[in-house]
Amino acid sequence: MNTPEPADRERGGTEKLNWIDRRREKIRAEIERNRRGEYAVPTWVLATALIVIVGAWLALIFFAG
């Protein structure tokens, strides 16, 4: 049975640790931006809101008339 060399195990653990650190830093940066008021609404949310508003407006025109 082949077992990974100790250097391979360390490298894999280091890469995973670096990935976790990068992910945490990215989340921290996003939270800081949101606290400063730089929050951006995702495009799909804006598109959905527009469709709902236009759909409601058209429904009002067709059903009221």
Side-chain angles (χ1 to χ4, degrees), residues 45-61:
V45 173
L46 295 174
T48 303
L50 178 63
I51 290 169
V52 168
I53 291 169
V54 170
W57 181 71
L58 289 174
L60 181 66
I61 291 173

Side-chain angles (χ1 to χ4, degrees), residues 13-37:
T14 303
E15 287 175 7
K16 188 171 185 176
L17 183 61
N18 287 339
W19 178 82
I20 291 172
D21 288 340
R22 286 193 309 267
R23 181 74 179 144
R24 284 182 182 155
E25 185 57 38
K26 191 174 179 181
I27 292 169
R28 267 191 212 106
E30 183 178 354
I31 290 171
E32 288 173 7
R33 281 193 309 272
N34 292 346
R35 287 181 178 166
R36 288 192 305 262

